[in-house]
């Protein structure tokens, strides 16, 4: 089983050089989410993962005949039938996204073991022990211990709920996206000692 790493799945998706194919780039985030959904919703069934991954080309063209969810509501920038962007996407799909090597990897995506938690832990470690600063062994061990305590303390917090029992969420605008993308995150409870 592999961790889901959609950047590997989609690295050539972003390489569309044509001016009239900029519509494809608008679907990069959705394709990334689709990759995560394929891994999370298919369990250990490799054939189902491959079928779900292959349905992405149909989704961007607003064709949902074989989908469980049926027609989707809402305003989206669907690729028009017969457009150059859709034809290029279908070619790109057959060459790259549906290649036999990638399809083998898609069927081995892990539904539960993702690297997100490890990446967050490394981010916390970098906060307490930056790589561009030298620390002697005792100081480095102390900083790693504090980082571990901080990570474990905040990792056990549960999602807060309203008085009616509904889960609380908040909207975040990551600096890395320069405020262009909103991310919905769960609102965590406070730790009471």
């Amino acid at each position: 089983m592999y961790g889901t790493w959609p950047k590997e799945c989609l690295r050539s998706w972003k390489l569309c050089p044509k001016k009239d194919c900029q519509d494809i780039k608008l679907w990069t985030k959705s394709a990334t989410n689709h990759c995560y959904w394929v891994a999370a919703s298919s369990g250990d069934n490799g054939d189902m993962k491959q079928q779900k991954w292959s349905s992405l080309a149909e989704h961007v063209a607003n064709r949902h005949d074989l989908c469980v969810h049926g027609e989707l509501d809402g305003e989206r920038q669907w690729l028009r039938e017969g457009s150059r962007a859709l034809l290029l996407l279908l070619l790109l799909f057959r060459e790259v996204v549906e290649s036999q090597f990638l399809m083998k990897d898609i069927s081995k995506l892990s539904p539960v073991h993702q690297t997100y938690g490890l990446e967050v832990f490394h981010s916390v470690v970098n906060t307490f022990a930056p790589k561009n600063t030298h620390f002697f062994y005792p100081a480095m061990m102390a900083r790693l211990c504090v980082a571990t305590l901080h990570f474990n303390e905040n990792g056990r917090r549960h999602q807060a709920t309203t008085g009616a029992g509904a889960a609380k969420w908040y909207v975040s605008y990551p600096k890395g996206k320069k405020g262009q993308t909103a991310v919905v995150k769960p609102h965590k409870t406070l730790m009471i000692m």
Side-chain angles (χ1 to χ4, degrees):
M1 292 278 181
Y2 303 139
T4 306
W5 197 246
K7 289 179 185 173
E8 290 298 317
C9 300
L10 304 171
R11 68 177 174 263
S12 60
W13 182 289
K14 297 179 183 181
L15 298 178
C16 181
K18 309 287 183 203
K19 280 188 173 182
D20 54 348
C21 296
Q22 294 299 316
D23 295 340
I24 294 175
K25 291 183 181 181
L26 297 173
W27 286 91
T28 304
K29 180 69 176 164
S30 295
T32 302
N33 292 340
H34 187 76
C35 187
Y36 280 115
W37 172 76
V38 165
S41 66
S42 302
D44 291 332
N45 189 341
D47 292 335
M48 184 183 294
K49 288 177 190 174
Q50 289 178 350
Q51 290 172 358
K52 286 182 178 181
W53 177 246
S54 298
S55 72
L56 182 59
E58 301 295 317
H59 274 84
V60 298
N62 198 18
R63 294 185 293 217
H64 308 283
D65 303 331
L66 303 174
C67 297
V68 177
H69 59 75
E71 291 297 319
L72 297 177
D73 296 331
E75 291 296 318
R76 298 195 177 141
Q77 292 185 329
W78 304 109
L79 296 182
R80 290 179 309 280
E81 197 69 41
S83 70
R84 183 178 177 145
L86 182 60
L87 294 174
L88 188 64
L89 174 68
L90 293 174
L91 279 173
L92 182 70
F93 236 76
R94 286 182 179 73
E95 286 180 19
V96 178
V97 181
E98 290 185 350
S99 72
Q100 63 179 2
F101 303 110
L102 185 59
M103 292 304 274
K104 259 195 270 185
D105 290 347
I106 290 288
S107 66
K108 295 177 184 175
L109 290 176
S110 172
V112 291
H113 296 60
Q114 306 301 326
T115 59
Y116 175 75
L118 182 63
E119 291 170 11
V120 171
F121 175 69
H122 284 161
S123 174
V124 171
V125 168
N126 286 334
T127 302
F128 286 95
K131 293 179 179 182
N132 62 355
T133 308
H134 177 265
F135 298 104
F136 289 104
Y137 184 76
M140 184 59 125
M141 282 303 292
R143 287 173 174 270
L144 290 176
C145 289
V146 170
T148 304
L149 288 170
H150 176 79
F151 179 78
N152 289 340
E153 173 83 19
N154 292 312
R156 287 193 318 251
R157 294 169 45 195
H158 300 289
Q159 188 169 0
T161 56
T162 62
K168 286 186 177 180
W169 301 87
Y170 71 97
V171 177
S172 172
Y173 297 92
K175 282 192 256 179
K177 301 289 184 181
K178 299 178 182 166
Q180 296 176 353
T181 304
V183 177
V184 179
K185 296 183 175 180
H187 191 284
K188 299 287 186 169
T189 59
L190 296 175
M191 291 297 293
I192 300 173
M193 301 288 177

